[in-house]
Amino acid sequence: MRYPRRRPSMMIAAIAVIVGAGFLVDAGAQRSADIRAVDTQRSLEDAPTDAVESATVKLRDVPATALDLARSGLGRAGITLPRLDLSQMPVADDVPAPATSTPSGAAPSPSTTSPSATSPSTTSPSAASGSPSGSAPSGRRPVGALVKHLVRDTPFKMVGFTWTRPVWNADEQTMLLRAKQPNGRWGDWIELEPIHTSGEPSARQPGGTEPVWVGGAKEIQVALAADGLAIPATLAAGDTGSGLLDLVVGSGAEIVKNLAGTVFPELTATLLNPDSLLSLGSSMLTTLSGGPQVISRAAWGADESIRCSQPSLSPTLRGAIVHHTAGSNDYTPQQSAEIVRGIYAYHARTLNWCDIGYNVLVDKYGQTFEGAFGGLDRNVEGTHTGGFNRDTVGLSMIGNLDEIAPSGPMIASAGRFLKWRLNLAGLNPAGTADLTSEYFSDSKFPAGTQTHMPMIAGHRDYNNTSCPGILGYPALTQIRGLAGAIAPPPAETQPEIAPSETEPVAPTNPPVIAPAQ
């Protein structure tokens, strides 16, 4: 969803230290007393040195298994199997064929929709949807969808996937993830959203997915599909669940068979485990000069030692662009800070962006987090919208707004912050942002194009993406209204908020956001 800033060379860094020292002092003097207080709450020497533990695992080394589409929930996620030539399936003398099966295209019965994982040995042959008869010949092993099953001894809280070669085409291929919950049941499948980059992925600047919050899981499963078709597989002869599978070859199966040989082996899982904070009470809040209260970088535990560059500043601010993080919607007020730290570590270290890509983040409880280093009252260039990072501020709502609408507190905080920030720059929230596009492969506009978008726009207005989500984009009308652009729409036209979001659990000491002046 964003593109990375390249790390500066050692020579450039050395010159910056020598020549830019005076600039850094002067720039700091221009900031408000409140912002300076944020920076001095914790010095670089006092910053946490290991606030986010991380580990990487190559999926080529992760065992695979086959899951029944209905029982695993993949069917409900829109995943099917291609038409198969069942005569090509391996014979299993010890696996009798069931007498009946679900016809091709039929909805699964309620008894087969448990979210729990299904053993490959019990996978129904009806998973081979599209077969002429809908059932496997007698003695054939049942077919399921091939997935990678990662198990760890210690829990991890976030996971993202990267690749260093152009192997994944997100326009045609889908990657899904589910995590096992503490109660032993599997959560729903989450479709992973790609982060669009400015060039071909490489070891220096890998491609990647948005990181997903899994809340302390020890097991995850990853599935791949092409045009909604999963990789068909069945247990190999003599396998007892160790992950040895036979890919099922047949008509229409070659494209998804290639996913197992070309995409899965190139993926690397980055497992992140941000430390917990004891609380996010009112003592953690900093009031912006004349504006709302925010949780500063020092307060949410940003490890400044992992930043690899000083911020780039635009001469002017011309507009605001709204995003969503595309991760999980299931998090507590205290876990929001962990999510921000995890995104920061993933952006700065895993993707080599040097810092978190967003300028500011807002959670579903209305908590506002300072993002990229440099000060919220300065024109810090983030890495949030390819081709349009200059002259813009990027605000991201924490959650997957393709699945649920943003909560009332989230919308209110986004509107209040943008009202303060745009007013500070002398911009009319009801006006138009006149921006000049820079080159970006997924931009909607060629380099040099003069664009004219609403002052508060969505990521999808500039790049080829669904961000800020199917349900997040309509909420921009409300955000603009709260920022002072127009009157908020009548209640009946506002995006529907999920029941769980109408009365969010407040922090122990809930933030009190002062009205913007």
Side-chain angles (χ1 to χ4, degrees), residues 99 112 158 220 239 255 328 358 372 376 428 482:
T112 63
M158 296 186 76
I220 58 172
D239 182 77
I255 184 172
S328 172
Y358 307 113
L376 290 174
N428 180 4
L482 291 169

Side-chain angles (χ1 to χ4, degrees), residues 226-243:
D227 294 326
L229 303 178
I231 305 167
T234 187
L235 282 174
D239 182 77
T240 57
S242 63

Side-chain angles (χ1 to χ4, degrees), residues 310-335:
Q310 292 298 327
S312 298
L313 302 179
S314 296
T316 58
L317 183 71
R318 298 182 183 275
I321 303 176
V322 179
H323 306 254
H324 70 155
T325 63
S328 172
N329 299 305
D330 184 15
Y331 57 87
T332 67
Q334 288 74 26
Q335 289 171 338

